[in-house]
Amino acid sequence: MASAVVGAATTPVLAWTATAEDVGRFNLLMVYVGLGVVVSCLGLDQAYIRFHHDARRRGRLLTAAMLLPVTVSGIFAGAILVAPSWFAEQAFDLRAASVGVGLAAAIVLNVIYRFAAVEIRMAESPGALLVNQVVPKVILICAVLLASVLGAGVHFEIIVWVYAAGLAAALAVWSSRLFSRAVLHAERTGEADTRQMLRYGVPLTASALAFWVAASTGAVGLRALASIQEVALYALALSFALPASLLQVVLASVWTPIVFRWNDIEAREQLPKVQRMVSAGAVWLFLVLGSGSWAVHWLLPSQYASVEYMIPAAMAPALWYAVSEVTAVGIQIRKRTSLLALASSAAAAVGVITVVPLAAALGARGALLSMMAAYGTLFVVRTELSARVWMSVPRRRLYLQAALVGVLASSVLLGGPFLGVRVYLVWVAAVVILAVIDLFETSRRSRRVRVP
């Protein structure tokens, strides 16, 4: 969670110290690096977690898991280094060989960094894991602020290389004891290890890649259809949606371990209550934080004033995904993980189809609408699939609350700049509607209970 907080602070800091174009480029850097990690790892990072506790020779297992991803990332890096200036221009609209080389280094370092973090996590060293995750972001923030204070100027070439140096520092300092011990003292890797893990991990890669498409289509679409400045607005809106993302982090850390400790009867009894509680909490969190989005006036330069009206639309997808962690638990209980890939693929398809007209017409606002459409699809498909493979629960209230969030976020996004202060009437109306929904559903449940 601390890593998420520090990470979310990075984009606003860049907004004050770098140009809007470079803020957008930094967001694109995170998108491309994320793609490189997903494709390079081939799900072997997740396979290592799955087989870790059953392995007698864990050093050998880690080496087997790492070997292919590091090789694949090296191939990607080599391809970029053949024509670094061309890759930099295509990815960032900036013809600079140093940027292409920095992108190649960032991809390889992130793959190694991913396995270092996994090893530290499996060694149950939360303090080391926290520091390992925070160090690269803190180094970037401090370097950017120092350059700004000294008047050196903050350019994207500097940002790329400071980011890569932060990853290298985290690997060298905080990961060395646990990570190098596991790798350097490993036995010779056998083919059986890699093949077994690939059979487990490759299907997860398809799901992760589809999810990456759903999550990243907005930024990539804006790069192709609008401008780098629009990418900056989009990135800043997402960075201020952090509290909504933290709900998903908390649920992933607390909810999943709890539900897997329940037996089937307990899960069937408790799930409807938990779903109602989480959905209601998500909506009220959206109302409280969304209505306070005016505070960005104090946190961003004046050229980013329109971000105020984008924040609710950036929060909605994160909240829907968080609620779906609960509503889709039946898929995991039944171990039908292929259905998660199906849901992610449906969301990715919706994102790709909608981003082209919306981003071209509305810029960052259109990209956020496309993202909402993708995550709304993900929420509905995951919920419905879970209801069919495990247990059907009442979903009217879930969908009414989700629809309220979507309508309100879209209204503020599209109408906020024209309504001005009157936009708060929309928030008041939403509170009234939510209260009516709660009263209606509570009355409906009580009547059902009284029926003999």
Side-chain angles (χ1 to χ4, degrees), residues 94-231:
L94 184 66
R95 192 169 183 84
S98 62
V99 171
V101 176
L103 173 62
I107 290 174
V108 175
L109 286 169
N110 261 284
V111 171
I112 302 173
Y113 181 78
R114 168 61 182 161
F115 281 94
V118 166
E119 173 60 22
I120 294 173
R121 173 184 169 187
M122 300 312 293
E124 298 182 358
S125 300
L129 180 61
L130 173 62
V131 174
N132 188 71
Q133 291 178 335
V134 168
V135 163
K137 301 178 181 71
V138 170
I139 289 176
L140 177 59
I141 290 174
C142 291
V144 165
L145 291 176
L146 180 62
S148 179
V149 170
L150 296 178
V154 179
H155 305 291
F156 186 60
E157 294 94 326
I158 296 175
I159 295 171
V160 171
W161 279 103
V162 170
Y163 173 69
L167 291 171
L171 287 170
V173 177
W174 300 107
S175 304
S176 57
R177 183 175 64 87
L178 292 170
F179 184 52
S180 61
R181 182 178 61 194
V183 174
L184 296 178
H185 296 170
E187 301 85 351
R188 189 170 180 271
T189 302
E191 286 187 35
D193 294 323
T194 304
R195 288 181 180 178
Q196 184 182 19
M197 288 190 290
L198 280 172
R199 282 195 295 269
Y200 179 87
V202 169
L204 295 178
T205 301
S207 177
L209 186 58
F211 186 80
W212 177 90
V213 172
S216 305
T217 297
V220 177
L222 286 173
R223 164 68 183 90
L225 301 168
S227 64
I228 297 292
Q229 292 93 328
E230 292 294 322
V231 179

Side-chain angles (χ1 to χ4, degrees), residues 247-269:
L247 177 61
Q248 187 270 326
V249 173
V250 171
L251 285 173
S253 303
V254 177
W255 161 249
T256 304
I258 289 176
V259 75
F260 286 130
R261 285 200 298 266
W262 287 339
N263 58 42
D264 193 65
I265 296 176
E266 288 177 317
R268 290 175 182 273
E269 289 178 351

Side-chain angles (χ1 to χ4, degrees), residues 251 255 271 274-276 278-279 320-332 378-391 393-395 398-399:
L251 285 173
W255 161 249
L271 182 64
V274 175
Q275 285 184 351
R276 288 196 299 270
V278 171
S279 179
W320 288 335
Y321 183 76
V323 176
S324 77
E325 287 286 280
V326 177
T327 62
V329 73
I331 296 174
Q332 294 178 316
L378 183 71
F379 168 66
V380 172
V381 174
R382 291 181 75 178
T383 302
E384 290 300 317
L385 290 175
S386 179
R388 280 158 177 73
V389 301
W390 183 53
M391 181 183 73
V393 297
R395 301 186 290 283
L398 287 173
Y399 292 148

